[in-house]
Amino acid sequence: MTRVLVTGAAGFIGSHVVEALEASGYEVAGLDLRSGDDVRDSAVLDRLLPEVDVVVHQAAKVGLGVNVADLPDYASVNVYGTAVLLAAMAEHGVGRLVLASSMVVYGEGAYECARHGRVRPGPRSAADLSRGSFEPRCPRCGESMAFAAIDEDAPVDPRNAYSTTKLAQEHLAANWARETGAMATALRYHNVYGPRMPRDTPYSGVAAIFRSALEAGRPPRVFEDGGQMRDFVHVRDVADANVAALTRGEPGTLTVYNIASGEPHTVGEMASALAAQRGGPEPVTTGEYRLGDVRHIVAAPHRAAAELGFRARVGFAEGMKEFADASLA
């Protein structure tokens, strides 16, 4: 029987991955900081890895980062922790990795300019955001653009502590695969939501922040004008993608996949859907912004469908109905 080590096994996504793997007949070992096991501890890895065939690496410090003071923690957990893990995998002959990556490595999503075709705008300026000018404009002509789905071959452009360290994880995994002949797969999750999502903290995803506000009887506070386009993907679909990726890959390479629903919605639509399911209060659009945020980022999910056989099964309406009353961590 294939034995899988899941790092971050007690976390939001990791716990669902463990359940999906066990339901698929895999033998699963878990590693999680909550139970005292740190992925940065070589002794822990030396104890766990000798009987392991594949590692599913979910452990990470998540969120965009609150300020520059977060940089050491992100680098320590996400970058150094992954380096320690990969070195230990090489030492113990573990030759397959599934890595939890993120759509944040892209920066802004893809856009189409009527005059210049597919373009990638740079970061939005504080001056534009302060005056409520939220939509990026064509970097060549300054005209308005339409958002487009982004695929895995798009250039990366990380813009905050979290995205920078997630991209570093991909690079380290690629180094490890090339030097050892192992197989590595990186799953670039889009906006994951669902049961056991972390409750209202500065690092929570927007879905949990909205849910927590509604649970407390407060209106969800929607930043900018609520028109930010995202691909919200249910955590059970993400877990299924990890199972699908377990047996895929090419020796000596890292392969990346968007893991998404293929059904984009705005942040405002999510807030309204959750409020409607819980009977209010209605969301409040604040005009506030964060410099680390991007305007639109939606995925082209075709590669995962073609190569992994992965297609999201939980639709937006169904997922919002469940999430409105789901338990949070």
Side-chain angles (χ1 to χ4, degrees), residues 242-268:
N242 277 270
V243 176
L246 216 61
T247 56
R248 303 296 196 275
E250 295 292 332
T253 65
L254 171 73
T255 308
V256 300
Y257 296 98
N258 285 329
I259 302 302
S261 70
E263 185 184 354
H265 290 271
T266 68
V267 171

Side-chain angles (χ1 to χ4, degrees), residues 5-272:
L5 174 65
V6 179
T7 72
F12 165 45
I13 298 175
S15 63
H16 287 274
V17 171
V18 169
E19 291 174 355
L21 287 168
E22 289 177 340
S24 298
Y26 290 97
E27 183 180 352
V28 181
L31 181 159
D32 197 279
L33 193 59
R34 294 170 178 83
S35 57
D37 290 335
D38 192 332
V39 74
R40 294 167 292 186
D41 188 334
S42 296
V44 170
L45 297 173
D46 288 341
R47 171 170 55 85
L48 293 171
L49 285 174
E51 304 301 320
V52 165
D53 301 299
V54 56
V55 172
V56 177
H57 185 30
Q58 304 289 323
K61 183 176 177 65
V62 299
L64 300 182
V66 175
N67 54 46
V68 175
D70 284 331
L71 288 172
D73 279 346
Y74 276 96
S76 177
V77 176
N78 296 355
V79 182
Y80 178 68
T82 299
V84 172
L85 173 64
L86 293 171
M89 290 174 66
E91 180 178 350
H92 291 284
V94 181
R96 188 182 294 272
L97 171 74
V98 178
L99 170 69
S101 189
S102 173
M103 55 87 178
V104 295
V105 302
Y106 294 120
E108 278 288 350
Y111 292 82
E112 293 284 348
C113 172
R115 291 178 58 190
H116 297 107
R118 184 64 61 95
V119 295
R120 295 288 300 282
R124 297 176 294 170
S125 71
D128 283 344
L129 294 168
S130 295
R131 63 172 178 264
S133 180
F134 301 124
E135 293 289 344
R137 294 189 169 272
C138 176
R140 297 179 63 184
C141 66
E143 295 299 318
S144 60
M145 303 178 293
F147 75 87
I150 197 164
D151 64 28
E152 294 88 348
D153 295 325
V156 291
D157 184 17
R159 297 181 179 182
N160 51 58
Y162 177 61
S163 59
T164 298
T165 59
K166 295 307 286 185
L167 183 58
Q169 287 183 321
E170 289 191 14
H171 288 320
L172 289 170
N175 296 156
W176 166 81
R178 184 170 55 251
E179 293 182 20
T180 64
M183 290 179 280
T185 302
L187 304 181
R188 290 176 176 170
Y189 303 157
H190 284 249
N191 289 72
V192 186
Y193 72 97
R196 303 199 291 269
M197 195 172 188
R199 196 170 285 278
D200 190 13
T201 77
Y203 303 94
S204 292
V206 66
I209 292 172
F210 291 164
R211 235 304 299 277
S212 295
L214 288 163
E215 195 171 27
R218 303 189 307 270
R221 294 176 59 82
V222 180
F223 279 16
E224 300 185 18
D225 60 0
Q228 307 95 303
M229 193 67 69
R230 297 290 187 271
D231 188 306
F232 298 104
V233 58
H234 196 279
V235 67
R236 288 195 298 272
D237 285 326
V238 170
D240 288 345
N242 277 270
V243 176
L246 216 61
T247 56
R248 303 296 196 275
E250 295 292 332
T253 65
L254 171 73
T255 308
V256 300
Y257 296 98
N258 285 329
I259 302 302
S261 70
E263 185 184 354
H265 290 271
T266 68
V267 171
E269 286 174 331
M270 167 176 263
S272 295

